């Protein structure tokens, strides 16, 4: 993917009515602050302020609506798994599925149980073991996969300031026992080509990227737009691939609460333990909500609440967007 020569990052603006709606949802979501707990199993994440809340909605025609801490970078953690998967599928195509499954695990994201009984083939690319196999593919394909992913994040979001947080990376490395156990188990079953330490380092560095809600809503808009990146106008992944990534997000993107979230919100989404959730309205919008306090499944309480309200109001959104630009709304 080439770097855009023009400043293509969408800026907040567009419809005052839609902006007011996003502000209203952010206000209501703030009433949920104070519920849930910040992840502390990665010590560098433990001091995140649970009172933070950000929301960004990006339309396929390049309007950005933001509220609260939408421009504040946070640790994207498992949201990186969407970019990792997109990059691996771009590079290796469907061959990836010989080594990673396509089904929900119904287990915590770092569980080792199925990995033993299923002979080292992770259930899907959004649990840790699955993303480690995806990272293994990228270690084989790129000299420094995490820097490559960081550069892609910069290009897709139009923000050249995106960085890997070295403190979070070091903290994850220090507390890597469970991810290392998964990686060694897969290595023992012949499902990891490269050295465990090298693969884990790449995986942790991708999780340690810092991006804001605005960065993420813009960067992942390709999933709402048949694979076409908003900032470059180029196709980042083919349309069928975008559709399949959305399907996997729908079935496996929200830890072991994917079914609950699908029932309540009905959108493909991916959650991270940094408190971010990205959701996609195919053909129309990409959304990122963030607040660090998590529920028992590891999903941000306030971010889920905001996404539920957005999903409820999509009809209203369509009406207003249709009034603004009828041709751009499907
Ligand atoms: N880096 C985290 C881990 O490996 C990612 C967890 C997540 O956000 O789901 O545990």
């Amino acid at each position: 993917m080439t770097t855009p020569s023009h400043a293509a990052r969408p800026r907040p603006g567009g419809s005052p009515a839609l902006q007011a709606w996003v502000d209203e949802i952010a206000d209501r979501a703030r009433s949920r602050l104070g519920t849930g707990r910040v992840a502390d199993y990665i010590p560098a994440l433990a001091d995140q302020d649970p009172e933070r809340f950000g929301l960004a909605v990006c339309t396929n025609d390049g309007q950005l609506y933001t509220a609260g801490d939408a421009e504040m970078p946070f640790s994207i953690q498992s949201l990186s798994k969407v970019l990792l998967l997109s990059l691996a599928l771009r590079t290796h195509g469907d061959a990836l599925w010989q080594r990673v499954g396509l089904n929900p695990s119904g287990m915590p994201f770092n569980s080792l149980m199925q990995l033993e009984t299923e002979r080292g083939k992770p259930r899907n690319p959004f649990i840790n073991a699955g993303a480690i196999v995806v990272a293994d593919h990228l270690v084989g394909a790129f000299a420094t996969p995490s820097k490559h992913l960081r550069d892609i994040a910069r290009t897709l979001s139009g923000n050249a300031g995106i960085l890997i947080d070295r403190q979070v990376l070091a903290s994850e490395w220090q507390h890597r026992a469970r991810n290392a156990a998964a990686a060694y188990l897969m290595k023992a079953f012949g499902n990891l080509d490269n050295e465990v330490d090298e693969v884990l380092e790449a995986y942790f560095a991708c999780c340690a990227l810092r991006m804001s809600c605005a960065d993420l809503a813009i960067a992942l808009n390709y999933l709402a737009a048949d694979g076409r990146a908003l900032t470059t106008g180029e196709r980042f992944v083919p349309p069928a691939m975008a559709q399949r990534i959305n399907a996997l997000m729908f079935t496996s993107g929200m830890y072991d609460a994917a079914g609950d979230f699908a029932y309540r919100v009905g959108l493909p989404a991916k959650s991270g333990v940094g408190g971010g959730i990205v959701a996609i309205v195919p053909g129309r919008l990409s959304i990122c909500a963030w607040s660090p306090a998590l529920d028992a499944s590891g999903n941000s309480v306030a971010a889920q609440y905001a996404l539920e309200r957005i999903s409820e109001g999509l009809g209203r959104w369509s009406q207003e967007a249709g009034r603004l630009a009828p041709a751009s709304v499907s």
Side-chain angles (χ1 to χ4, degrees), residues 1-4 6-10 58-62 83 86 90 151-158 215-239 242 286:
M1 163 169 258
T2 53
T3 306
H6 54 290
R9 183 178 165 94
C58 183
T59 67
N60 285 13
D61 60 358
L83 286 169
S86 303
R90 258 165 71 99
D151 290 347
I152 285 179
R154 288 177 175 177
T155 302
L156 289 175
S157 65
D215 292 334
L216 284 155
I218 297 167
L220 295 178
N221 186 264
Y222 66 90
L223 292 173
D226 278 341
R228 195 175 291 285
L230 193 55
T231 47
T232 62
E234 288 176 19
R235 215 173 265 295
F236 179 52
V237 294
S286 46

Side-chain angles (χ1 to χ4, degrees), residues 9-10 22 54-67 70-71 74 76 79 83 153 156-158 162 211-225 228-231 276-281 284-290 307 310:
R9 183 178 165 94
V22 168
L55 178 60
V57 179
C58 183
T59 67
N60 285 13
D61 60 358
Q63 306 292 332
L64 183 67
Y65 300 95
T66 60
E71 298 285 353
F74 61 90
I76 73 169
L79 303 181
L83 286 169
L156 289 175
S157 65
I162 288 171
M211 295 170 74
S212 68
C213 290
D215 292 334
L216 284 155
I218 297 167
L220 295 178
N221 186 264
Y222 66 90
L223 292 173
R228 195 175 291 285
L230 193 55
T231 47
I277 305 178
V278 168
I280 302 297
V281 185
R284 292 161 66 188
L285 308 170
S286 46
I287 308 158
C288 181
W290 167 61
L307 291 168
I310 289 184

Side-chain angles (χ1 to χ4, degrees), residues 163-234:
L163 296 171
I164 294 168
D165 185 331
R166 298 283 149 193
Q167 203 192 337
V168 170
L169 171 55
S171 188
E172 288 212 54
W173 181 257
Q174 215 181 342
H175 294 84
R176 67 188 177 286
R178 211 164 234 288
N179 284 317
Y184 277 111
L185 198 50
M186 293 190 290
K187 184 88 178 160
F189 279 113
N191 198 15
L192 212 69
D193 290 337
N194 298 284
E195 290 309 316
V196 165
D197 282 2
E198 198 185 353
V199 177
L200 286 179
E201 153 95 32
Y203 164 72
F204 292 142
C206 294
C207 291
L209 277 165
R210 287 176 71 79
M211 295 170 74
S212 68
C213 290
D215 292 334
L216 284 155
I218 297 167
L220 295 178
N221 186 264
Y222 66 90
L223 292 173
D226 278 341
R228 195 175 291 285
L230 193 55
T231 47
T232 62
E234 288 176 19

Side-chain angles (χ1 to χ4, degrees), residues 41-42 45 75-81 109-110 126-128 132 168 172 175 179 203-204 207-208 255 270-275 298:
Y41 77 99
I42 301 169
L45 295 181
S75 191
I76 73 169
Q77 292 296 315
S78 267
L79 303 181
S80 64
K81 290 174 174 140
F109 64 102
N110 56 5
F126 292 148
I127 54 174
N128 284 6
I132 290 169
V168 170
E172 288 212 54
H175 294 84
N179 284 317
Y203 164 72
F204 292 142
C207 291
Y255 304 123
K270 181 74 197 91
S271 182
V273 295

Side-chain angles (χ1 to χ4, degrees), residues 241-310:
M241 211 175 260
Q243 198 181 3
R244 287 175 186 149
I245 295 167
N246 284 334
L248 280 164
M249 286 167 68
F250 193 74
T251 53
S252 304
M254 298 294 292
Y255 304 123
D256 46 337
D260 291 318
F261 186 84
Y263 183 78
R264 283 186 287 119
V265 181
L267 297 174
K270 181 74 197 91
S271 182
V273 295
I277 305 178
V278 168
I280 302 297
V281 185
R284 292 161 66 188
L285 308 170
S286 46
I287 308 158
C288 181
W290 167 61
S291 189
L294 312 178
D295 66 14
S297 299
N299 297 311
S300 166
V301 175
Q304 286 182 90
Y305 180 84
L307 291 168
E308 206 171 330
R309 301 288 81 75
I310 289 184

